Amino acid sequence: MSEPKPVVAAETLRERGLSACLGAERVVLELGFGRAELLLELAEQNPGRTYLGVEVSRKRVLKAGKRAERRELRNVFMIHAPAEYVLERVLPPGVVEEVWVNCPDPWPKKRHWRRRLVQAPLLELLARALLPGALLHIATDHEGYRDWIAEVLAKQDA
C-alpha cells in the first residue's frame, strides 16, 4: 500500500473517514493555514499526532502539500475547502483534540465583518467536532479583531 498523500479531497475524507484517509481517529486541526508554516512545524515536532489543515486557497493547499512531501511528513494533511464546510459536512463529531486559528484575516472594514472567520456559527460547528477538553488556540495581531473574538467567545456556552 502506498503512503497517503498530504492533500486530501474533502469529499474523499467525508466518504471514507479519518482512519481510511489519514490513518488516525483524532486530529489536530488548523483552520486557514495560509503558507502552512505553523502546520508543518507542529507536524514535524509532534510525529505521533495527526494534523489536518483547512484552507480556502487551492494554490496554498497545493504548495503546502509539496512542502510536506519534501519534508517527508507523514502526519500532516490538507483540505481545500471552507472551514465551515469541513466542520459541518466532513468531520464527524468528537474527533478534534486541538484547534489552531492563527492570524485569520481581520477584515477591518465594518462592511466586511461578515467575512470574518471567527463567528458564532463557526464556533457552534467547531464545538460539535471537538473532543471534551480539547484546546482552542486563536491568535491575531489586530486589536479590533481581538476584541471581536473575545466578545464572540464570551457569548458561547461553555
Side-chain angles (χ1 to χ4, degrees):
M1 187 171 150
S2 65
E3 289 288 329
K5 295 288 184 185
V7 177
V8 179
E11 288 308 310
T12 301
L13 185 57
R14 177 182 179 180
E15 292 167 10
R16 296 186 57 220
L18 288 178
S19 57
C21 291
L22 312 183
E25 296 294 325
R26 292 181 165 74
V27 296
V28 175
L29 187 64
E30 185 177 7
L31 301 178
F33 61 76
R35 293 188 309 232
E37 290 123 334
L38 177 65
L39 183 65
L40 297 177
E41 183 179 321
L42 289 170
E44 201 164 53
Q45 291 175 358
N46 302 287
R49 298 180 87 186
T50 301
Y51 291 84
L52 179 62
V54 178
E55 174 60 53
V56 294
S57 168
R58 179 180 303 279
K59 184 177 178 181
R60 287 188 171 193
V61 170
L62 295 174
K63 282 184 175 185
K66 288 177 185 174
R67 283 198 298 277
E69 286 179 335
R70 278 195 301 272
R71 289 163 79 163
E72 298 182 3
L73 296 173
R74 305 285 181 248
N75 64 328
V76 64
F77 301 89
M78 295 112 189
I79 293 178
H80 166 248
E84 297 85 354
Y85 179 82
V86 172
L87 292 169
E88 184 176 4
R89 304 271 182 147
V90 177
L91 293 178
V95 297
V96 177
E97 56 190 14
E98 191 170 354
V99 181
W100 293 84
V101 182
N102 194 32
C103 293
D105 192 331
W107 294 103
K109 295 178 183 175
K110 187 171 184 172
R111 69 178 185 265
H112 295 151
W113 286 358
R114 62 182 169 78
R115 297 180 183 168
R116 287 179 169 177
L117 179 63
V118 180
Q119 307 256 4
L122 177 100
L123 294 177
E124 290 165 13
L125 293 171
L126 190 55
R128 180 185 145 289
L130 294 174
L131 285 160
L135 296 174
L136 172 61
H137 308 273
I138 302 177
T140 182
D141 55 1
H142 187 274
E143 187 176 332
Y145 198 16
R146 178 204 62 205
D147 296 343
W148 166 283
I149 292 167
E151 187 177 317
V152 171
L153 287 171
K155 290 179 182 176
Q156 295 301 302
D157 293 332

